Amino acid sequence: MSASQMMKVFVTRRIPQEGMKLLQKASMCDVLLWDSDEPVPHAELLKKVKGAHGLLCLLSDQIDAEVLDAAGPNLKVISTMSVGFDHLAINEIKKRGIRVGYTPDVLTDATAELTVALLLATARRLPEGIQEVKSGGWSSWKPLWLCGYGLSGSTVGVIGLGRIGLAIARRLKPFGVKRLLYSGRQPKPQAGEVDGEHVALDSLLCESDFVVVSCSLSPDTQQLCNKEFFSKMKNTAVFINTSRGAVVNQEDLLEALTSGQIAAAGLDVTTPEPLPTDHPLLRLNNCVVLPHIGSATYSTRGVMAQLSAQNLLCGLTGDAMPNELTL
Ligand SMILES: O=CC(=O)O
């Protein structure tokens, strides 16, 4: 293929080899990589994307009208190495006739596992316990020390029983969960598998011992978890969010945690990301914050990279993508 027929692809970060190899093998592609583990600065993104036919990006890259304009009319496909796509200006993308690939399913298990780990770490106060061991605060076995909340006999409420929500529910049930509630627009047939009860959000909040947020970020869910939301939760309830930070009003969460309105929170996602190290949430013992690592297993990230590369290449050749977002 002559240089003028080659299609330009910009990859916004180092990604696992499984994906890079596929792109490098594709004879029609001229691949430009932002060869770093850190995000490409916005000004560089605008430069590097110029004239690209394909863009492989991550959830931390905001792909807005400015980026699309900088790319210009060649851009045929955007492939995001994520299941979430709230970082993409979908209306602008649709207007320009650009196709979008994403990576659902392949990260469901890893994200559900991480959610369970975070729930248990938060409810059983693992970070506090580890800190006490290291600091010499562990003086003896004490009946009233570092007690938390258990899943056995509990009611769990899942907000958004989609692929990941269901995988979380499946994993939590064997801990002896008594009732599994879920909210969402309509009952889901697959909820039967976990004996899930479809309830109104208010009932879920009033009745649950653990509230797990697993919905995607949309105008409907933005700031869903606010003062009113937390005020309906039990004082002994634990709040877990592994979806997107913007689903939560963090000021209101901080207030709920410091006032004792709720018992504890575990967050894998925050606003902003990274959360500044002096953020007040990080000073609380009853808040466990992780750095958005839901899908971070070696194999999952490998498969995500591979799928993103496949989506991108199919988008360039005009073929059906393994996972194309319906716009
Ligand atoms: O948050 C993770 C993803 O959207 O893949």
Side-chain angles (χ1 to χ4, degrees), residues 59 81-84 103 107 243-244 292 295 304:
L59 59 87
M81 194 180 124
S82 62
V83 63
T103 64
L107 48 75
S243 67
R244 284 292 183 267
H292 202 152
S295 64
M304 288 169 71

Side-chain angles (χ1 to χ4, degrees), residues 20 58 61 77 93 115 122 137 147 154 162 170 189 193 210 223 235 243 270 299 305:
M20 268 327 273
L58 309 183
D61 302 313
V77 52
I93 290 171
T115 306
T122 306
C147 293
S154 70
R170 252 191 235 121
E193 192 197 323
F210 298 89
Q223 306 264 310
N235 297 151
S243 67
T270 58
S299 64

Side-chain angles (χ1 to χ4, degrees), residues 52-67:
H53 298 81
L55 174 64
L56 196 155
C57 66
L58 309 183
L59 59 87
S60 45
D61 302 313
Q62 288 302 323
I63 307 300
D64 54 16
E66 191 188 12
V67 175

Side-chain angles (χ1 to χ4, degrees), residues 46-110:
L46 296 180
K47 265 194 238 161
K48 298 275 188 297
V49 80
K50 195 169 162 30
H53 298 81
L55 174 64
L56 196 155
C57 66
L58 309 183
L59 59 87
S60 45
D61 302 313
Q62 288 302 323
I63 307 300
D64 54 16
E66 191 188 12
V67 175
L68 299 172
D69 287 343
N74 283 348
L75 192 62
K76 284 171 177 301
V77 52
I78 297 171
S79 172
T80 181
M81 194 180 124
S82 62
V83 63
F85 47 85
D86 48 279
H87 55 298
L88 307 178
I90 293 296
N91 287 339
E92 294 292 333
I93 290 171
K94 195 172 167 180
K95 248 187 351 207
R96 291 162 168 82
I98 299 167
R99 295 168 70 190
V100 174
Y102 70 137
T103 64
D105 299 319
V106 295
L107 48 75
T108 298
D109 288 348

Side-chain angles (χ1 to χ4, degrees), residues 4-326:
S4 63
Q5 290 170 311
M6 295 282 271
M7 294 208 239
K8 183 181 161 186
V9 166
F10 180 49
V11 181
T12 62
R13 197 87 58 92
R14 262 179 219 147
I15 60 168
Q17 273 310 304
E18 289 90 330
M20 268 327 273
K21 277 195 196 136
L22 277 183
L23 295 180
Q24 281 155 350
K25 251 187 11 210
S27 52
M28 82 277 201
C29 281
D30 183 10
V31 181
L32 177 63
L33 169 71
W34 181 252
D35 194 9
S36 166
D37 291 326
E38 299 305 322
V40 53
H42 190 65
E44 281 299 317
L45 171 60
L46 296 180
K47 265 194 238 161
K48 298 275 188 297
V49 80
K50 195 169 162 30
H53 298 81
L55 174 64
L56 196 155
C57 66
L58 309 183
L59 59 87
S60 45
D61 302 313
Q62 288 302 323
I63 307 300
D64 54 16
E66 191 188 12
V67 175
L68 299 172
D69 287 343
N74 283 348
L75 192 62
K76 284 171 177 301
V77 52
I78 297 171
S79 172
T80 181
M81 194 180 124
S82 62
V83 63
F85 47 85
D86 48 279
H87 55 298
L88 307 178
I90 293 296
N91 287 339
E92 294 292 333
I93 290 171
K94 195 172 167 180
K95 248 187 351 207
R96 291 162 168 82
I98 299 167
R99 295 168 70 190
V100 174
Y102 70 137
T103 64
D105 299 319
V106 295
L107 48 75
T108 298
D109 288 348
T111 308
E113 269 177 24
L114 189 279
T115 306
V116 174
L118 177 59
L119 184 150
L120 290 171
T122 306
R124 297 299 301 271
R125 305 170 64 178
L126 301 195
E128 273 182 272
I130 292 165
Q131 187 49 37
E132 293 288 15
V133 172
K134 289 187 178 168
S135 68
W138 180 18
S139 59
S140 89
W141 189 93
K142 292 180 262 190
L144 297 176
W145 192 49
L146 283 177
C147 293
Y149 298 94
L151 278 163
S152 180
S154 70
T155 296
V156 171
V158 179
I159 298 178
L161 199 75
R163 284 178 292 253
I164 296 174
L166 184 64
I168 295 167
R170 252 191 235 121
R171 283 161 176 75
L172 290 179
K173 280 292 278 190
F175 281 93
V177 168
K178 196 159 129 210
R179 291 180 71 204
L180 195 299
L181 313 180
Y182 71 100
S183 63
R185 241 173 263 141
Q186 59 216 14
K188 303 256 175 143
Q190 59 272 33
E193 192 197 323
V194 290
D195 300 323
E197 301 169 42
H198 184 244
V199 295
L201 180 61
D202 279 7
S203 315
L204 182 148
L205 296 174
C206 298
E207 292 170 37
S208 296
D209 301 299
F210 298 89
V211 172
V212 181
V213 180
S214 184
C215 57
S216 53
L217 175 62
S218 70
D220 286 347
T221 60
Q222 175 111 20
Q223 306 264 310
L224 171 75
C225 311
N226 56 16
K227 194 176 170 65
E228 199 192 337
F229 175 105
F230 294 118
S231 74
K232 292 177 185 147
M233 284 175 62
K234 297 182 187 180
N235 297 151
T236 51
V238 174
F239 174 80
I240 303 294
N241 182 16
T242 54
S243 67
R244 284 292 183 267
V247 173
V248 176
N249 180 317
Q250 267 174 199
E251 308 274 297
D252 293 349
L253 173 62
L254 180 67
E255 170 65 20
L257 287 167
T258 48
S259 67
Q261 174 58 50
I262 68 169
L267 312 172
D268 184 42
V269 287
T270 58
T271 312
E273 292 182 4
L275 197 62
T277 52
D278 61 354
H279 195 281
L281 279 176
L282 299 180
R283 291 201 288 271
L284 302 182
N285 274 336
N286 60 347
C287 187
V288 178
V289 182
L290 299 179
H292 202 152
I293 52 171
S295 64
T297 70
Y298 292 112
S299 64
T300 300
R301 290 286 168 82
V303 179
M304 288 169 71
Q306 193 177 6
L307 183 52
S308 323
Q310 287 166 338
N311 283 337
L312 187 95
L313 294 174
C314 291
L316 290 177
T317 53
D319 292 313
M321 290 184 200
N323 283 103
E324 178 161 2
L325 192 66
T326 311

